[in-house]
């Protein structure tokens, strides 16, 4: 019997704004449905309290500009702490699987945070993954499968160059939906090439399509990667009633997906059909996690929609499965020099828009091309809200001694440089995170 | 005003006579399981001797009637007719009772998505009858948000001329969310209704009383008429009575109190916070059935004066564990077993039975293991203290871990940890000082331990509560406890203030219906308010308000020499 630990924190007194999709009401009907079904009386389930994440735990995943305290609310700390509590249940052997139904979500929050993006401020999953790795050590291999309809660009950003974290995002094609990224060409940095896997699904994808992707693409990739833990960022906005997206997945589809994926830890992401979808999808996911029959979980609206997947959509998905599968199979043969150049650094310049906060960030990142480790990274960032420049130096988990001394020297130099108002050094190996504000 | 409290327990029937706040007399008679009313009568007759003739008396009764009826499976053969709609497969709910499924369903907002089919309801009832059911429970998912389908099914069944001795509708018996618990509660309610009815008739023939009230699992009382409709709420009134006794007798009326009631077979632990008892989160569990019956939080552990004593010796170190089973009568009281009571007697921690017999039994028990009787007795007492402390810790860990769903509750967690331990039970004076020392808490040994349950029954006050759910977008409001389901007048103007006022006014009305002459203090115990936003526009609000009469017990003074 699979034991499932549930961390439920609907934050009934927290919202972005009262009529925002991310509002108090969001998990109300889910709570009502779960309580009315009485599943927490079943021997398979136990409910636990979340805890509040410590500032340091958040900092493992983020560099906040100008500071963490300028942005954070208690609800963010509890959502992230809820994810950590879920991970502890599984790692401590208390439960076989755990599910954190917490809000607000987190997967659009990138390494650098100037404000809220896509309703997210703190990347709950990344905070949780870094907590797990501090416990399990640098060799732990973790797979994150993001099934939110929006591209998990924040999580992708944080793990873009991390060879021990596989990030797979299934989402509605970025050409048709926020945040407008998540294409096949985004495959990871020089130290983790191929370990960012994007599967941009065409609008109109239904159960048939998403399950085909799971079975023929995601599961084989996971089998190949051999993760120690599988984490599911469970957005529920692929649902056919979601007001912000255009997909056709049902509660049955989500439950089957969960059954196939068998995630160790599920963390709620988005999903804004608060009444027609969330109560049923969440119930379906919980039942599937516990290995219980979910075939009776059926949305009231189901019969009013024609949910047959369009033939063109089916063909596009078949093509995607082939292309992404081939990319995965050939990731080791990729011409890294052709992609990242043959110099000492790989440099990216990006403009990042924060839709929720209305901020535009400009960022330059340089990753050290290193043959021993993933290479240290240096990020220079500023935004139209926080105009003064911040510099962050990030050591990889598997940092080699050469990269370490280079990065530390770089940090010293930045710390003395008058160009930067704030400098940060992230050293996950030593679990040491320094921030200096001048 | 005279009050008589009677607790018909498993072994003994206890009675207490009160005048105002003072105890005038207590009695104890053995319980006759075949005749609970007879046991009540025997206790009553003795108590009435201390009462002037013609005095106005109120009687408050706690019995094991419904509990025993369920535990022994002696209730009316009953079947459930359920309207589950979509969701968890009922076969996986662990519902250990016969049920028949109808189509149709109500959603989480209380909207009827699909109606029931009348002929299907009739067929289900016929099938239930064919299988021997004499009483029915009809329960729908989300019926407390909208009872229409349950009512329609009952009408169809009655309309077809099918007779059942009792029919319980889910929304009448369980206002909380939790469909499987509602099914179980309604089912058990129908099962015990006939037994309760017989009991009520017999009680009414006893004497002339001003009022007769029955103790409930939540430590409050209800009228005989109410107990006819909701007999299931009288389960587990014994543990509730002991908590009420502690509330009535403790000097620490405003404090956080851990209540420890040490019996022969078990020790019951309960929790008082700020003078009010803590309740079960979802409802009482009886005979393995999780129900929605509001109940005082109580945990029973297999540790008592008559517990089995186990001794293991490893590497020359002896360690004792006690319970969870009862060994039997202690040696000092003429039994054949070494028990904690014998250790208490031998060490002179209390005067119990024949001390020589206790010492002899301990000696016989200890010497094969190379221990003296003193070492064994001390080891047993230490084990008792250790196990009890662990159980107390477990209780508080469980309560501290109760989930909360708002930031406010998360951040302003009420302090539950006890400031004092109040104890009942004969072994308490011998054991509890060491427990208090170990936990760093003062210990209060409550007087009149032997009659605690009767005192608790006498001290109990009526409790009643309602849950108001209003949905202004749908324009509907419900208070299932009162069978009230109605349209909201001018829903656009129905705000939180009005919701609160409505809840409190209805509670007063309900309290009057429940036979309360004067309404004591009212509390809003739960409050939720949500904007319903559709398409970036607020289209209404949902209010959920729980209100109750503040629970509590009449204070009781014990005069010297009672």
């Amino acid at each position: 019997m699979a034991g499932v630990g549930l961390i439920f924190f609907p934050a009934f007194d927290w919202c972005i704004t009262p009529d925002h999709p991310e509002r108090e009401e969001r998990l109300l009907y889910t709570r009502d449905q779960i309580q009315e079904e009485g599943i927490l009386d079943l021997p398979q389930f136990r409910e636990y309290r979340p805890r509040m994440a410590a500032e340091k735990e958040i900092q493992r995943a983020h560099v906040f500009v100008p500071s963490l305290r300028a942005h954070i609310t208690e609800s963010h700390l509890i959502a992230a702490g809820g994810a950590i509590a879920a991970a502890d249940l599984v790692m401590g052997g208390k439960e076989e699987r755990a599910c954190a139904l917490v809000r607000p979500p987190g997967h659009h929050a990138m390494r650098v945070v100037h404000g809220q993006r896509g309703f997210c401020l703190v990347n709950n999953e990344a905070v949780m993954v870094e907590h797990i790795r501090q416990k399990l050590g640098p060799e732990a291999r973790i797979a994150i499968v993001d099934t939110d309809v929006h591209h998990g660009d924040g999580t992708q950003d944080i793990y873009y160059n991390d060879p021990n974290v596989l990030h797979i995002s299934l989402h509605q094609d970025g050409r048709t939906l926020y945040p407008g990224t998540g294409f096949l060409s985004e495959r990871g940095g020089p130290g983790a090439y191929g370990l960012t896997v994007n599967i941009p699904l065409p609008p109109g994808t239904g159960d048939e399509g998403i399950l085909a992707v799971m079975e023929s693409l995601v599961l084989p990739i996971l089998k190949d990667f051999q993760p120690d833990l599988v984490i599911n960022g469970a957005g529920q906005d692929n649902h056919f009633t979601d007001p912000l997206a255009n997909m056709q997945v049902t509660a049955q589809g989500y439950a089957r997906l969960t059954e196939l994926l068998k995630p160790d830890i599920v963390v709620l992401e988005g999903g804004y059909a608060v009444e027609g979808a969330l109560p049923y999808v969440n119930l379906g996911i919980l039942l599937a996690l516990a290995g219980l029959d979910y075939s009776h979980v059926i949305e009231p609206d189901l019969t009013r929609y024609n949910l047959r997947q369009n033939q063109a959509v089916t063909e596009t998905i078949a093509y995607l499965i082939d292309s992404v599968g081939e990319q995965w199979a050939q990731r080791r043969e990729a011409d890294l020099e052709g992609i990242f150049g043959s110099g000492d650094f790989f440099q990216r310049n990006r403009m990042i828009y924060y839709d929720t906060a209305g901020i535009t960030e400009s960022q330059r990142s340089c990753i050290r091309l290193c043959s021993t480790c993933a290479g240290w990274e240096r990020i220079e960032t500023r935004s139209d809200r926080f105009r003064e420049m911040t510099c962050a130096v990030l050591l990889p988990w598997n940092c080699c001694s050469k990269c370490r001394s280079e990065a530390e020297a770089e940090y010293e130099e930045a710390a003395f440089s008058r160009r930067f108002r704030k400098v940060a050094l992230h050293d996950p190996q030593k679990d040491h995170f320094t921030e200096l504000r001048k | 005003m005279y009050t008589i409290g009677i607790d018909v327990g498993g072994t003994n029937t206890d009675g207490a006579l009160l005048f105002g706040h003072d105890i005038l007399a207590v009695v104890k008679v053995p319980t006759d399981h075949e005749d609970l009313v007879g046991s009540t009568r025997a206790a009553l007759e003795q108590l009435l001797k201390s009462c002037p003739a013609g005095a106005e008396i109120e009687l408050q009764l706690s019995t094991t009637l419904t509990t025993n009826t369920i535990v022994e499976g002696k209730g009316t053969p009953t079947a459930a007719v359920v309207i589950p709609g979509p969701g968890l497969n009922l076969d996986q709910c662990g519902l250990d009772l016969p049920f028949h499924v109808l189509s149709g369903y109500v959603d989480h907002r209380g909207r009827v998505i699909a109606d029931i089919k009348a002929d299907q309801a009739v067929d289900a009832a016929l099938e239930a009858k064919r299988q021997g059911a004499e009483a029915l429970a009809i329960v729908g998912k989300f019926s407390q948000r909208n009872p229409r389908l349950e009512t329609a099914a009952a009408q169809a069944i009655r309309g077809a001329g099918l007779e059942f001795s009792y029919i319980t509708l889910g929304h009448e018996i369980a206002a909380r969310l939790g469909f499987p618990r509602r099914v179980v509660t309604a089912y058990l309610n129908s099962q015990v209704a006939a037994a309760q009815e017989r009991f009520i008739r017999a009680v009414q023939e006893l004497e002339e009383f001003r009022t007769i009230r029955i103790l409930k699992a939540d430590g409050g009382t209800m009228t005989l008429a109410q107990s006819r409709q909701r007999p299931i709420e009288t389960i587990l009134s014994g543990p509730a009575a002991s908590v009420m006794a502690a509330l009535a007798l403790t000097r620490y009326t405003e404090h956080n109190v851990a209540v420890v009631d040490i019996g022969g077979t078990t020790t019951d632990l309960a929790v008082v916070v700020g003078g009010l008892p803590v309740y079960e989160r979802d409802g009482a569990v009886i005979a393995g059935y999780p129900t929605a019956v509001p109940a005082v939080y109580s945990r029973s552990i297999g540790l008592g004066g008559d517990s089995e004593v186990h001794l293991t010796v490893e590497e020359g170190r002896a360690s004792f564990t006690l319970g969870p089973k009862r060994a039997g009568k202690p040696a000092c009281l003429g039994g054949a077993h070494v028990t904690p009571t014998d250790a208490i007697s031998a060490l002179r921690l209390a005067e119990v039975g024949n001390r020589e017999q206790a010492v002899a039994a301990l000696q016989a028990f200890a010497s094969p293991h190379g221990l003296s009787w003193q070492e064994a007795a001390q080891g047993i007492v230490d084990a008792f203290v250790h196990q009890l402390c662990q159980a107390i810790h477990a209780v508080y860990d469980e309560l501290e871990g109760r989930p909360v769903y708002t930031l406010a509750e998360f951040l302003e967690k009420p302090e539950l940890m006890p400031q004092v331990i109040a104890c009942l039970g004969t072994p308490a004076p011998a054991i509890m000082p060491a427990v208090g020392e170990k936990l760093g808490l003062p210990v209060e040994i409550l007087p009149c331990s032997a009659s605690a349950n009767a005192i608790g029954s006498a001290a109990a006050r009526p409790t009643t509560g309602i849950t108001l759910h209003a949905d202004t977008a749908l324009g509907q409001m419900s208070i299932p406890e009162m069978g009230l389901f109605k349209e909201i007048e001018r829903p656009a103007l129905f705000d939180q203030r009005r919701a609160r006022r409505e809840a409190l006014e209805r509670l007063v009305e309900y309290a009057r219906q429940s036979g309360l002459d004067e309404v004591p203090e009212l509390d809003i115990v739960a409050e939720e308010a949500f904007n319903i936003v559709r398409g970036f526009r607020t289209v209404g609000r949902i209010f959920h308000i729980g209100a109750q009469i503040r629970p509590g017990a009449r204070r009781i003074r014990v005069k010297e020499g009672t």
Side-chain angles (χ1 to χ4, degrees):
Chain A
M1 185 172 68
V4 178
L6 173 64
I7 309 263
F8 187 50
F9 192 73
F12 282 152
D13 48 358
W14 186 90
C15 63
I16 290 181
T17 58
D19 53 0
H20 193 279
E22 195 51 68
R23 64 178 178 273
E24 298 92 333
E25 182 194 5
R26 187 171 160 228
L27 290 176
L28 167 64
Y29 311 107
T30 292
R31 190 271 313 259
D32 286 359
Q33 193 77 36
I34 289 174
Q35 287 194 346
E36 179 68 356
E37 297 291 349
I39 60 169
L40 294 175
D41 273 333
L42 296 176
Q44 286 89 344
F45 291 97
R46 272 154 300 277
E47 188 179 4
Y48 298 89
R49 250 183 207 234
R51 68 169 169 87
M52 218 181 240
E55 282 187 22
K56 183 181 176 185
E57 291 173 314
I58 306 269
Q59 275 172 335
R60 286 175 184 152
H62 294 295
V63 176
F64 278 86
V65 183
S67 68
L68 179 129
R69 289 197 179 162
H71 298 286
I72 205 104
T73 70
E74 282 113 351
S75 194
H76 294 110
L77 293 173
I78 298 173
I84 291 175
D88 282 341
L89 289 176
V90 175
M91 284 194 300
K94 217 168 176 186
E95 301 289 351
E96 193 176 334
R97 302 176 198 289
C99 177
L101 298 182
V102 292
R103 52 180 287 269
H107 73 150
H108 295 305
M110 297 185 167
R111 173 73 67 180
V112 176
V113 179
H114 287 258
Q116 298 188 74
R117 295 183 73 242
F119 316 163
C120 305
L121 183 76
V122 173
N123 196 310
N124 301 324
E125 274 148 30
V127 169
M128 176 181 84
V129 166
E130 291 313 297
H131 169 80
I132 292 171
R133 296 168 101 190
Q134 288 299 340
K135 293 233 161 137
L136 295 187
E139 299 307 318
R141 290 164 75 77
I142 291 168
I144 302 173
V145 181
D146 186 324
T147 50
D148 189 281
V149 76
H150 304 94
H151 176 224
D153 56 347
T155 319
Q156 168 172 313
D157 177 69
I158 293 169
Y159 293 112
Y160 204 60
N161 197 39
D162 195 319
N164 280 333
V165 178
L166 167 67
H167 183 250
I168 304 176
S169 178
L170 289 74
H171 48 265
Q172 185 176 325
D173 191 332
R175 290 170 297 186
T176 62
L177 191 70
Y178 179 87
T181 51
F183 301 104
L184 266 62
S185 56
E186 299 159 38
R187 297 179 63 190
Y193 193 69
L195 297 179
T196 292
V197 178
N198 281 301
I199 310 171
L201 300 164
T205 298
D207 291 355
E208 182 193 339
I210 206 159
L211 293 176
V213 167
M214 285 305 297
E215 279 178 285
S216 311
L217 191 55
V218 175
L219 295 183
I221 291 176
L222 287 176
K223 196 172 168 208
D224 199 9
F225 183 72
Q226 293 275 319
D228 298 308
L229 279 174
V230 176
I231 290 153
N232 179 206
Q236 313 194 338
D237 31 15
N238 284 294
H239 194 262
F240 61 94
T241 61
D242 195 88
L244 306 184
N246 317 89
M247 305 295 249
Q248 294 192 350
V249 177
T250 68
Q252 289 287 314
Y254 265 110
R256 174 74 185 139
L257 181 155
T258 308
E259 186 177 49
L260 288 170
L261 186 60
K262 297 188 178 63
D264 298 291
I265 306 161
V266 172
V267 180
L268 179 67
E269 288 294 344
Y272 298 95
V274 299
E275 241 195 283
L278 263 61
Y280 307 99
V281 175
N282 279 313
L283 178 63
I285 289 176
L286 286 171
L287 293 182
L289 276 180
L292 290 165
D293 177 16
Y294 53 79
S295 64
H296 295 249
V297 181
I298 294 159
E299 303 88 331
D301 286 345
L302 196 60
T303 48
R304 292 202 282 123
Y305 288 76
N306 173 15
L307 295 177
R308 252 191 57 189
Q309 191 172 288
N310 181 308
Q311 185 58 31
V313 169
T314 307
E315 282 164 19
T316 307
I317 290 173
Y319 173 76
L320 258 178
I321 291 174
D322 284 349
S323 317
V324 177
E326 202 167 316
Q327 279 193 346
W328 173 261
Q330 293 172 358
R331 68 191 185 283
R332 293 199 181 91
E333 284 90 68
D335 169 21
L336 294 183
E337 247 185 60
I339 302 163
F340 300 107
S342 53
D344 289 339
F345 289 92
F346 164 63
Q347 183 177 321
R348 281 194 300 172
N349 295 314
R350 289 192 292 168
M351 300 289 280
I352 297 160
Y353 183 60
Y354 290 64
D355 61 315
T356 307
I359 296 172
T360 304
E361 175 195 357
S362 56
Q363 190 188 93
R364 185 168 72 174
S365 124
C366 298
I367 298 174
R368 179 74 161 98
L369 298 178
C370 175
S371 54
T372 320
C373 71
W376 60 276
E377 181 177 4
R378 177 190 134 111
I379 298 172
E380 287 178 17
T381 174
R382 70 200 293 177
S383 68
D384 53 3
R385 179 79 54 89
F386 305 104
R387 291 169 184 279
E388 284 154 319
M389 190 75 89
T390 293
C391 176
V393 177
L394 313 172
L395 275 60
W397 263 95
N398 63 348
C399 194
C400 67
S401 55
K402 188 159 153 279
C403 277
R404 171 173 294 278
S405 56
E406 279 181 26
E408 283 170 353
E410 186 72 22
Y411 173 74
E412 294 268 302
E413 197 186 316
F416 286 109
S417 164
R418 294 170 70 177
R419 279 183 64 215
F420 304 114
R421 182 64 189 271
K422 172 175 180 167
V423 287
L425 179 70
H426 275 208
D427 184 350
Q429 271 179 351
K430 294 186 179 166
D431 197 19
H432 195 68
F433 303 86
T434 320
E435 282 195 358
L436 182 65
R437 285 171 75 192
K438 295 185 270 185
Chain B
M1 172 76 77
Y2 289 87
T3 307
I4 290 178
I6 288 182
D7 176 72
V8 185
T11 317
N12 293 314
T13 296
D14 293 320
L17 172 69
L18 270 68
F19 183 72
H21 296 282
D22 296 315
I23 299 181
L24 299 185
V26 293
V27 296
K28 193 182 278 290
V29 298
T31 297
D32 176 358
H33 282 278
E34 299 308 312
D35 184 10
L36 299 184
V37 178
S39 310
T40 309
R41 191 184 299 116
L44 259 180
E45 277 167 5
Q46 291 195 39
L47 289 172
L48 287 174
K49 286 179 202 157
S50 314
C51 202
E56 280 210 326
I57 303 171
E58 50 180 18
L59 174 65
Q60 309 219 112
L61 268 174
S62 149
T63 82
T64 51
L65 174 76
T66 46
T67 306
N68 284 348
T69 307
I70 292 167
V71 172
E72 291 164 14
K74 285 185 181 162
T76 311
T78 302
V81 173
V82 295
I83 315 161
L88 176 63
N89 183 347
L90 270 187
D91 294 333
Q92 298 189 330
C93 277
L95 281 181
D96 185 17
L97 49 91
F99 64 87
H100 307 266
V101 179
L102 304 188
S103 62
Y105 81 96
V106 171
D107 79 354
H108 45 72
R109 291 273 298 277
R111 291 169 295 213
V112 175
I113 304 294
D115 259 309
I116 59 147
K117 298 187 180 75
D119 50 349
Q120 204 186 19
V122 174
D123 288 347
L126 273 172
E127 179 62 19
K129 241 186 175 356
R130 204 182 56 75
Q131 291 172 10
E134 292 164 25
L136 272 192
I138 303 175
V139 187
K141 204 173 276 179
F142 287 113
S143 67
Q144 76 285 61
R145 297 270 159 93
N146 186 344
R148 206 176 90 197
L149 301 189
E150 284 180 0
T151 317
Q155 261 172 7
I157 290 166
R158 289 198 182 105
L162 292 171
E163 290 211 357
F164 289 92
S165 66
Y166 204 92
I167 298 182
T168 306
L169 302 187
H171 71 276
E172 295 170 348
I173 201 76
R176 307 182 196 205
L177 291 168
F179 175 65
R181 280 182 187 257
R182 196 174 321 116
V183 172
V184 166
T185 311
Y187 167 82
L188 294 178
N189 195 61
S190 287
Q191 207 180 60
V192 300
Q196 181 74 12
E197 182 64 42
R198 284 193 297 274
F199 179 74
I200 290 172
R201 290 213 178 125
V203 165
Q204 279 170 331
E205 285 170 13
L206 280 176
E207 284 286 336
E208 273 297 308
F209 291 102
R210 187 169 171 275
T211 55
I212 302 177
R213 292 207 168 92
I214 310 276
L215 197 70
K216 297 187 291 178
D218 71 352
T221 60
M222 62 177 165
T223 61
L224 278 184
Q226 284 174 314
S227 81
R228 226 177 221 132
Q229 257 136 47
R230 315 164 77 84
I232 188 62
E233 295 193 353
T234 67
I235 53 169
L236 303 178
S237 58
S242 112
V243 179
M244 286 300 118
L247 281 179
L249 295 168
T250 180
R251 281 182 285 126
Y252 301 90
T253 51
E254 310 278 316
H255 295 67
N256 290 356
V257 184
V259 180
V260 177
D261 184 350
I262 307 177
T265 315
T266 61
T267 294
D268 293 338
L269 305 173
V271 175
V272 173
V273 174
L276 301 178
V278 168
Y279 296 97
E280 295 288 355
R281 188 176 175 218
D282 302 306
V285 177
I286 180 154
Y289 288 110
T291 75
V293 174
V296 166
Y297 176 93
S298 174
R299 290 288 173 272
S300 195
I301 53 168
L303 180 69
D306 306 344
S307 287
E308 285 178 347
V309 176
H310 311 275
L311 169 61
T312 50
V313 183
E314 253 176 66
E315 291 169 13
R317 280 177 55 106
S319 71
F320 289 89
T321 50
L322 310 178
K325 283 200 196 118
R326 179 173 186 264
K329 208 186 245 186
C332 63
L333 298 173
H337 305 273
V338 170
T339 65
T341 303
D342 294 311
I344 290 168
S345 174
L347 293 174
R348 295 188 204 274
L349 294 172
E351 264 187 51
V352 201
N354 184 329
R355 181 169 170 266
E356 272 79 60
Q357 286 173 24
V359 171
L362 280 162
Q363 207 141 31
F365 179 78
S367 60
H369 302 283
L371 295 175
S372 68
W373 71 261
Q374 287 93 338
E375 286 170 321
Q378 195 56 50
I380 291 169
V381 169
D382 290 347
F384 201 110
V385 170
H386 176 72
Q387 285 176 240
L388 188 48
C389 287
Q390 275 189 327
I392 293 173
H393 279 302
V395 158
Y396 282 92
D397 283 350
E398 183 195 334
L399 292 176
E400 290 267 315
R402 278 189 179 181
V404 296
Y405 294 158
T406 61
L407 290 168
E409 288 173 290
F410 187 93
L411 299 172
E412 288 154 37
K413 213 168 61 171
E415 184 55 66
L416 303 175
M417 296 315 277
Q419 294 154 307
V420 61
I421 311 176
C423 3
L424 294 161
T426 327
I431 296 291
M432 290 309 294
V435 173
E437 199 168 303
K438 210 164 173 185
L439 297 176
L441 291 169
V443 167
E444 184 190 21
I445 308 287
L446 298 174
C448 288
S449 266
S451 312
N453 284 11
I455 292 171
S457 303
R461 293 198 298 222
T463 50
T464 193
I466 57 163
T467 32
L468 176 142
H469 186 87
D471 184 325
T472 69
L474 298 177
Q476 280 164 358
M477 189 183 94
S478 64
I479 301 179
E481 291 89 346
M482 302 177 70
L484 183 122
F485 296 87
K486 64 163 201 171
E487 306 273 307
I488 300 173
E489 284 166 43
R490 299 199 290 174
L493 300 178
F494 194 89
D495 57 6
Q496 196 157 356
R497 208 169 45 89
R498 241 181 90 187
R500 226 177 272 169
R501 202 179 61 207
E502 179 88 33
L504 292 175
E505 282 174 8
R506 294 289 178 176
L507 177 57
V508 170
E509 187 185 324
Y510 188 48
R512 294 240 160 80
Q513 285 174 20
S514 313
L516 270 176
D517 318 325
E518 52 187 290
V519 176
E521 276 181 285
L522 307 180
D523 287 323
I524 295 217
V525 286
E527 189 164 25
E528 292 176 353
F530 298 94
N531 288 335
I532 307 169
V533 179
R534 295 296 171 265
F536 297 93
R537 207 168 63 82
T538 301
V539 297
R541 306 195 74 195
I542 288 177
F543 301 105
H544 195 83
I545 294 178
Q548 68 175 28
I549 291 177
R550 183 172 300 171
R554 174 203 309 224
R555 303 280 312 140
I556 291 181
R557 286 186 296 246
V558 181
K559 286 186 188 163
E560 291 298 315
T562 312

